[in-house]
Amino acid sequence: MFDTHELGRRPGALQRISRTVDAPVDLGVAGVVGVPEGAPVEIELRLESVMEGVLVTGTARASAEGECVRCLEPVELELDADFQEMFSYPDSDDRGRVKAVADDEDDEDESMIPLEDGMFDLEPVLRDAVVLALPMQPVCREDCAGLCSDCGLNLNDHPDHHHDATDIRWAALQELAGSLGADEKDNMSDAATGVDEKQEK
């Protein structure tokens, strides 16, 4: 939770905050990449008082961990996530004026999060910003060759690795040719020679 009491409610007032917090659980994309729970997250905030409430602009920096989607090796990357959010005064309408006590109309902008006793919780905003900043398909390097689709060997370590692939369309003919014995091949060769001799005569 962050406190805005020191900022005050005079429009145009500014306050800067730098803080290191522990990463909450599941900060990232589950099973793909994210910031480990409890890892340090450096947050720099700029709080600006406006008519409607407090405009919070900030940057979060942290180290994310994941798995390369091509070769399945561990990946670590530095993350910079920018965000901006408006936290509204609970007693103000969408034009910044103090609401009447008997105001039955819901004029509040649903996109703004209300301040609670001058405090705001940054975790939901931080979580959204980090998820958007993370790569959905992290790779250990841009030219990662991945794994062999036949045996699973890491092609980055064995760039010359390959399998002799048989075209399935010719597999039946290759089996037939292999099943012919040496005598049958010789007989076919002799028969072909006899035909050629007859044609020459």
Side-chain angles (χ1 to χ4, degrees), residues 159-173:
D160 298 327
H161 173 76
H162 70 280
H163 294 273
D164 293 328
T166 302
D167 192 332
I168 193 170
R169 295 171 296 179
W170 297 102
L173 289 176

Side-chain angles (χ1 to χ4, degrees), residues 173-193:
L173 289 176
Q174 289 176 344
E175 289 178 10
L176 180 62
S179 67
L180 293 174
D183 293 339
E184 292 175 338
K185 290 181 182 178
D186 291 340
N187 291 338
M188 291 176 64
S189 178
D190 292 342
T193 303

Side-chain angles (χ1 to χ4, degrees), residues 45-98:
L45 299 178
R46 178 179 182 267
L47 279 57
E48 181 179 1
S49 179
V50 295
M51 291 293 292
E52 299 86 356
V54 177
L55 179 64
V56 178
T57 306
T59 301
R61 295 182 179 88
S63 294
E65 297 177 359
E67 193 176 75
C68 177
V69 296
R70 297 180 189 168
C71 67
L72 306 182
E73 291 294 319
V75 173
E76 184 171 335
L77 52 93
E78 295 304 312
L79 174 70
D80 276 13
D82 297 324
F83 53 87
Q84 187 175 68
E85 188 66 53
M86 172 69 78
F87 294 90
S88 64
Y89 297 126
D91 59 348
S92 297
D93 64 14
D94 60 355
R95 292 179 296 278
R97 297 178 304 191
V98 175

